[in-house]
Amino acid sequence: MASNENLKVLNALDGAKTQWYHFTTIVIAGMGFFTDAYDLFCISLVTKLLGRIYYHKPGSPKPGSLPPNVSAAVNGVALVGTLAGQLFFGWLGDKLGRKKVYGITLMLMCICSIASGLSFGSSPKMVMATLCFFRFWLGFGIGGDYPLSATIMSEYSNKKTRGGFIAAVFAMQGFGILGAGIFSIIVSSVFDAKFKAAPYEVDPTGSTVPEADYVWRIILMVGSVPAILTYYWRMKMPETARYTALVAKNANQAAMDMSKVLQMDIESEQHKVDKVVQRPNNSFGLFSKEFLRRHGWHLLGTTTTWFLLDIAYYSQNLFQKDIFTAIGWIPAAKKMNAIHEVYKIARAQTLIALCSTVPGYWFTVFLIDKIGRFRIQLFGFSMMTIFMFALAFPYNHWTHPENNIKFVVLYSLTFFFANFGPNATTFIVPAEIFPARVRSTCHGISAASGKLGAIVGAFGFLYLAQNQDPAKADAGYPAGIGVKNALIVLGVINFLGTLCTFLVPESKGISLEEMSGENEDQPTIAKP
């Protein structure tokens, strides 16, 4: 059908002024993302504490640390679960509907977040095994939230401010990271004040008080609270009109649902839906030649850019505590007790989140519908490349104490341009450019590609960033290429992301049906 013959219910959504339901949808979907970010990133705050508690070696000059395989599992297992969840729930969201699957993912996150903090076992190995088990399923639930939240917000939005609304949902991730840091500061401060302990170099055994075992458990469990509070409202949301009309083929229900949401009378037009869905243009599947012809470059663009972005983003975020230690911003572990180390790491992460991560997200929210997705992503990747090389090549210069603050400023700018750049746009664009019947699946595939990159970054950086001198590498790790060379590798990855951005189309101000070709009479080849 021609553009002017689009369904009235979809035209009403595209042309709707910003209303209260837009903000409630942002909050309902955003609270899931707050929980996602809190749960994924809070583990980096407590891994060193876990090493001190469960892997202390009497007589060792350094505090206990997680063995390489255990550290990789604890840090990465939730990412593996997230990848699986993105693929599964993305597919399920297209098969059963966005709303039906939405509550399942939230409950899975809540239950497994609490269970992670209750990890049990008679030996350190068993505690880590149960923690990894629950964090895998936590990640599985988190994975489902990516395609579903993006698709729901996209399909509810008007075309004028759609990018900003989807970005606002994703921006809650920044508050989740910030929340994890602030809450960890509070908990560690309270426990440190209540249960005094000497630094490790003074009293190796006494530096880790028995009560420290409660600290990491409380931090992990609290992430479930915001999600629990929004569960009822998530269940009350109606199914999106685009799914109901274009996939479930029920125009009457779509019109009825959106009449309540928009508070206006909307004609159902079942005859138009029957006509639209019967066109060959609107019936090809994900694995068809027609999909490859029309959207193959698009899917390649969204998957490669998200993959490359997450290698850099997660390797920095999960292991920034190691970088801060290397430049001297966090004292040597032996100079702190176990709980105070959590405080120091959380403070560093919170400062980075407050000064660069959170502002970057909101710059995207306010500017994406003015500048456009393509320009923001291209500029973000380019600036990340520049700042990463600026950190890497003169790395020895930055390790001098008088230059530490300057290093942190440049390091913060890479996070700012990640979030005012590809970290936001790679989430937004896949929810806009694919047909409704495969929109959630394609977003899930793109997001899963990103999490594959996150796994590469999280696991690879553990080894890559180790000192080139085996004697100076962390216990149990082989010699790596050093932080400097690891940062150079991340700079190259960001540059590749800049190039792959040219595969992704601009979707600013264009309706979802125009973007996906669902309102065209004749099939056309979509160009990147």
Side-chain angles (χ1 to χ4, degrees):
M1 65 183 168
S3 300
N4 60 356
E5 293 179 6
N6 205 2
L7 293 172
K8 289 182 180 178
V9 67
L10 304 187
N11 284 335
L13 284 167
D14 280 338
K17 293 181 180 179
T18 300
Q19 299 178 34
W20 182 246
Y21 83 89
H22 287 125
F23 295 110
T24 57
T25 306
I26 288 170
V27 171
I28 293 167
M31 278 300 102
F33 260 86
F34 180 98
T35 302
D36 295 352
Y38 184 103
D39 288 331
L40 283 178
F41 291 109
C42 71
I43 195 68
S44 69
L45 301 174
V46 299
T47 47
K48 291 205 171 186
L49 178 61
L50 292 171
R52 286 187 184 240
I53 295 171
Y54 294 107
Y55 292 90
H56 170 66
K57 294 180 181 178
S60 172
K62 294 181 180 180
S65 61
L66 296 177
N69 60 330
V70 176
S71 181
V74 169
N75 279 300
V77 70
L79 300 178
V80 176
T82 303
L83 188 157
Q86 287 163 336
L87 292 173
F88 177 72
F89 286 115
W91 168 78
L92 206 61
D94 284 331
K95 292 298 178 185
L96 301 182
R98 291 49 159 141
K99 180 191 172 182
K100 287 182 180 177
V101 185
Y102 212 24
I104 299 171
T105 62
L106 197 70
M107 282 310 299
L108 193 56
M109 286 192 291
C110 293
I111 292 168
C112 293
S113 184
I114 294 168
S116 295
L118 300 175
S119 298
F120 54 87
S122 56
S123 66
K125 187 176 181 180
M126 282 302 299
V127 174
M128 293 301 111
T130 52
L131 174 61
C132 288
F133 174 81
F134 290 126
R135 282 192 64 78
F136 172 85
W137 290 107
L138 169 66
F140 194 71
I142 288 172
D145 228 44
Y146 274 73
L148 294 171
S149 289
T151 302
I152 286 171
M153 194 68 246
S154 174
E155 293 181 344
Y156 263 110
S157 300
N158 61 58
K159 63 182 179 181
K160 184 179 179 182
T161 57
R162 185 178 63 235
F165 288 153
I166 304 172
V169 171
F170 193 62
M172 293 303 291
Q173 188 179 75
F175 288 120
I177 296 169
L178 190 63
I182 291 173
F183 186 72
S184 298
I185 288 172
I186 294 170
V187 172
S188 58
S189 297
V190 170
F191 274 77
D192 200 21
K194 181 75 173 174
F195 307 102
K196 300 286 186 183
Y200 184 87
E201 62 183 0
V202 175
D203 184 358
T205 303
S207 66
T208 306
V209 295
E211 291 79 9
D213 196 51
Y214 293 113
V215 173
W216 70 269
R217 295 177 184 276
I218 292 170
I219 290 171
L220 293 188
M221 286 194 287
V222 163
S224 64
V225 174
I228 292 171
L229 295 177
T230 55
Y231 179 77
Y232 170 77
W233 299 106
R234 194 173 273 208
M235 292 296 90
K236 290 276 287 182
M237 289 176 69
E239 180 59 83
T240 70
R242 287 181 160 92
Y243 181 85
T244 305
L246 300 177
V247 183
K249 306 171 187 176
N250 189 340
N252 295 328
Q253 188 64 50
M256 193 184 309
D257 288 341
M258 292 306 107
S259 293
K260 292 177 183 176
V261 169
L262 297 172
Q263 298 180 333
M264 61 185 289
D265 292 328
I266 301 175
E267 188 180 343
S268 65
E269 302 180 300
Q270 184 64 48
H271 64 286
K272 273 192 182 181
V273 170
D274 294 337
K275 182 180 177 183
V276 171
V277 296
Q278 288 173 5
R279 293 180 182 274
N281 202 34
N282 289 322
S283 60
F284 58 84
L286 179 64
F287 299 106
S288 65
K289 289 182 180 179
E290 185 64 17
F291 178 88
L292 186 64
R293 192 170 74 96
R294 292 168 59 83
H295 298 290
W297 286 112
H298 295 167
L299 190 58
L300 180 64
T302 58
T303 52
T304 52
T305 51
W306 208 336
F307 173 77
L308 294 165
L309 178 275
D310 272 11
I311 292 177
Y313 191 80
Y314 275 80
S315 63
Q316 290 180 80
N317 228 328
L318 285 171
F319 302 105
Q320 60 180 270
K321 62 185 183 296
D322 297 314
I323 293 175
F324 287 136
T325 301
I327 65 164
W329 216 52
I330 295 176
K334 65 182 181 180
K335 296 184 180 297
M336 298 178 285
N337 66 48
I339 296 175
H340 192 64
E341 186 176 32
V342 174
Y343 169 82
K344 287 284 190 179
I345 295 169
R347 187 185 69 169
Q349 176 168 303
T350 302
L351 285 171
I352 291 292
L354 194 59
C355 297
S356 63
T357 307
V358 171
Y361 282 115
W362 290 96
F363 265 72
T364 303
V365 171
F366 292 118
L367 294 175
I368 191 166
D369 288 310
K370 294 181 175 66
I371 299 174
R373 289 75 161 144
F374 177 82
R375 288 181 180 176
I376 287 179
Q377 182 163 309
L378 191 68
F379 183 66
F381 263 130
S382 300
M383 295 306 292
M384 287 173 70
T385 304
I386 291 168
F387 284 118
M388 199 62 73
F389 285 144
L391 289 172
F393 289 116
Y395 180 72
N396 293 332
H397 168 77
W398 299 120
T399 57
H400 298 146
E402 65 271 18
N403 297 321
N404 285 353
I405 297 301
K406 295 175 185 176
F407 179 93
V408 172
V409 170
L410 282 178
Y411 184 73
S412 298
L413 284 170
T414 64
F415 273 99
F416 175 83
F417 284 107
N419 295 311
F420 179 42
N423 194 38
T425 54
T426 52
F427 175 81
I428 295 165
V429 173
E432 298 181 308
I433 63 176
F434 299 108
R437 62 189 175 279
V438 293
R439 184 171 291 136
S440 178
T441 303
C442 289
H443 194 286
I445 292 170
S446 302
S449 176
K451 278 301 168 285
L452 182 61
I455 292 165
V456 171
F459 282 73
F461 199 81
L462 269 173
Y463 295 88
L464 277 180
Q466 292 299 317
N467 199 292
Q468 290 172 294
D469 182 355
K472 295 181 180 179
D474 291 344
Y477 288 88
I481 63 174
V483 174
K484 175 180 178 176
N485 291 327
L487 289 172
I488 292 173
V489 171
L490 294 179
V492 171
I493 288 168
N494 289 328
F495 177 69
L496 292 175
T498 307
L499 299 179
C500 290
T501 296
F502 287 94
L503 295 172
V504 180
E506 178 58 73
S507 50
K508 179 182 72 141
I510 304 173
S511 78
L512 297 180
E513 288 67 46
E514 287 178 88
M515 201 66 221
S516 64
E518 288 168 291
N519 65 351
E520 296 173 358
D521 284 317
Q522 298 298 326
T524 58
I525 301 175
K527 297 179 181 179

